[in-house]
Amino acid sequence: MSEQGTYVEKSYNRDTRYITDRITRDGRDGWPVEAGRYRLVVSRACPWANRAIIVRRLLGLEDALSMGICGPTHDKRSWTFDLDPGGVDPVLGIPRLQDAFFKRDPDYPRGITVPAIVDVPSGAVVTNDFKQITVDLETEWSDFHRDGAPDLYPAALQDEIEAVAEPIYQDINNGVYKCGFAGSQESYDESYRRLFARLDEVSDRLRSRRYLVGDHITEADVRLFTTLVRFDPVYHGHFKCNRSKLSEMPVLWAYARDLFQTPGFGDTIDFTHIKQHYYCVHRDVNPTGIVPLGPDLSNWAAPHGREELGGSPFGDGTPPGPVREPVDPDHNPVLSAVK
């Protein structure tokens, strides 16, 4: 997702007018679930896209849903496939994600965002509704889940997952952006206070339970993780979310390391891409474009001790297999240590 938004009374308001078509088992929006038909387009830099990367891997959907990876930076026009030979996506045959949006609507007026799912035969974007994408991967795509895939969105827990995740989205996932893109001191102060009040509240919830909802990983944990893993490298300094580092909040730090060390989470994280995106693209926040060398991220491999709280990452399921689209080990110090 590019951070398109508007400033109302100098507060940041994210533009959430997405293409909301859904890919479903019954194809009611005209897009039936079909293995091999669609391509998930992401950037490893983006926390919203990172959710889809994690869910796809946990569920073992690699053979059913291919993935195109954009580079960490973009201009005002679009995310680009600059990591691919010739700067062209090998499946879609396009250099810019905007080409797929314009294939859907030649006059598409809004931001070109990731994640997006593209219909390969037509070359047109089906949806860029990041929240619905992961829920549908978990529910509508179940015929293509791997054996042993965890149930990330259990029917009996869906209401609780959404009730827990909604304030996390408002005050943490989007809250860091409200701090970073605040246009006034008053707006920043309010967003900062809401962010850390919510982090403290979530910390209290996780003090006696291993996961946010239930006794194994769910969609709620995926949504929180992708913000927490970016907190110290980016949000603490770049977005002025600097009351405390994640590594100075004991419960949340242990919780985040627990997830990071779980197959499907940390092995999707490209810290180099994350830092390059925020520090290079957000020139209004970081005019020089200088990317900091720190912090030292090797501490993500430190023991977390969360096993004592019970539960298990995958419930009755099993871990995902080997990574099919690996992160460059030099971009993740934990992976680098074991390469």
Side-chain angles (χ1 to χ4, degrees):
M1 167 179 292
S2 57
E3 281 67 57
Q4 80 280 3
T6 57
Y7 295 87
V8 179
E9 295 181 355
K10 299 187 177 180
S11 297
Y12 174 71
N13 290 274
R14 181 176 297 279
D15 183 354
T16 57
R17 295 172 296 163
Y18 304 116
I19 299 173
T20 57
D21 285 8
R22 294 176 59 193
I23 301 170
T24 56
R25 186 178 284 103
D26 62 7
R28 56 186 175 272
D29 285 354
W31 308 105
V33 171
E34 293 180 18
R37 176 173 174 175
Y38 306 99
R39 187 157 176 83
L40 173 66
V41 178
V42 301
S43 169
R44 294 193 187 276
C46 172
W48 320 98
N50 198 174
R51 297 179 177 191
I53 297 171
I54 291 170
V55 167
R56 173 179 174 270
R57 171 152 160 67
L58 291 176
L59 299 178
L61 288 170
E62 292 93 338
D63 289 332
L65 179 64
S66 68
M67 185 168 74
I69 304 175
C70 296
T73 61
H74 60 77
D75 57 24
K76 292 181 179 180
R77 292 170 59 198
S78 176
W79 294 91
T80 59
F81 294 100
D82 50 296
L83 303 177
D84 293 305
V88 173
D89 180 85
V91 173
L92 300 174
I94 56 177
R96 290 175 171 272
L97 180 56
Q98 75 171 11
D99 297 334
F101 278 79
F102 291 160
K103 190 74 171 180
R104 170 69 184 261
D105 177 0
D107 299 314
Y108 185 76
R110 297 186 293 278
I112 308 299
T113 66
V114 290
I117 297 183
V118 179
D119 176 50
V120 175
S122 68
V125 165
V126 176
T127 178
N128 63 335
D129 187 349
F130 71 90
K131 179 181 176 182
Q132 193 64 53
I133 284 173
T134 53
V135 170
D136 284 344
L137 292 180
E138 293 155 355
T139 55
E140 301 293 332
W141 288 73
S142 58
D143 289 345
F144 297 100
H145 291 181
R146 66 179 174 85
D147 291 340
D151 187 352
L152 299 176
Y153 203 62
L157 297 178
Q158 288 174 11
D159 289 345
E160 185 179 0
I161 287 171
E162 295 300 337
V164 169
E166 178 58 22
I168 287 175
Y169 167 75
Q170 294 294 342
D171 297 334
I172 299 177
N173 300 141
N174 200 36
V176 294
Y177 288 91
K178 292 176 182 177
C179 290
F181 293 137
S184 71
Q185 188 69 51
E186 181 180 8
S187 173
Y188 166 76
D189 289 353
E190 179 183 358
S191 299
Y192 175 99
R193 293 188 181 103
R194 290 174 66 92
L195 166 66
F196 282 100
R198 189 68 66 190
L199 285 169
D200 289 342
E201 179 183 286
V202 173
S203 179
D204 288 342
R205 180 180 181 88
L206 290 168
R207 197 175 303 278
S208 59
R209 56 192 306 158
R210 190 171 179 184
Y211 304 109
L212 281 170
V213 179
D215 60 3
H216 65 81
I217 291 164
T218 68
E219 168 78 11
D221 299 296
V222 175
R223 295 180 190 180
L224 178 57
F225 172 78
T226 59
T227 295
L228 294 184
V229 78
R230 288 162 173 76
F231 202 89
D232 288 3
V234 175
Y235 303 142
H236 179 271
H238 183 59
F239 279 174
K240 305 180 184 69
C241 303
N242 60 357
R243 187 201 73 178
S244 312
K245 295 179 181 177
L246 176 66
S247 58
E248 295 168 343
M249 295 181 270
V251 174
L252 289 175
W253 175 224
Y255 165 80
R257 295 200 316 281
D258 187 5
L259 293 178
F260 186 93
Q261 294 168 30
T262 298
F265 284 83
D267 52 30
T268 73
I269 300 302
D270 190 317
F271 285 116
T272 298
H273 281 196
I274 289 168
K275 292 199 295 183
Q276 286 177 346
H277 171 70
Y278 285 92
Y279 286 101
C280 292
V281 171
H282 300 161
R283 290 303 180 96
D284 50 344
V285 178
N286 184 43
T288 65
I290 294 173
V291 180
L293 293 176
D296 179 2
L297 299 165
S298 60
N299 52 3
W300 280 95
H304 52 77
R306 298 279 295 177
E307 305 93 337
E308 298 177 0
L309 296 174
S312 61
F314 304 107
D316 295 331
T318 58
V323 180
R324 302 275 285 274
E325 299 102 352
V327 173
D328 184 336
D330 291 333
H331 294 187
N332 183 320
V334 178
L335 298 178
S336 181
V338 298
K339 70 176 179 177

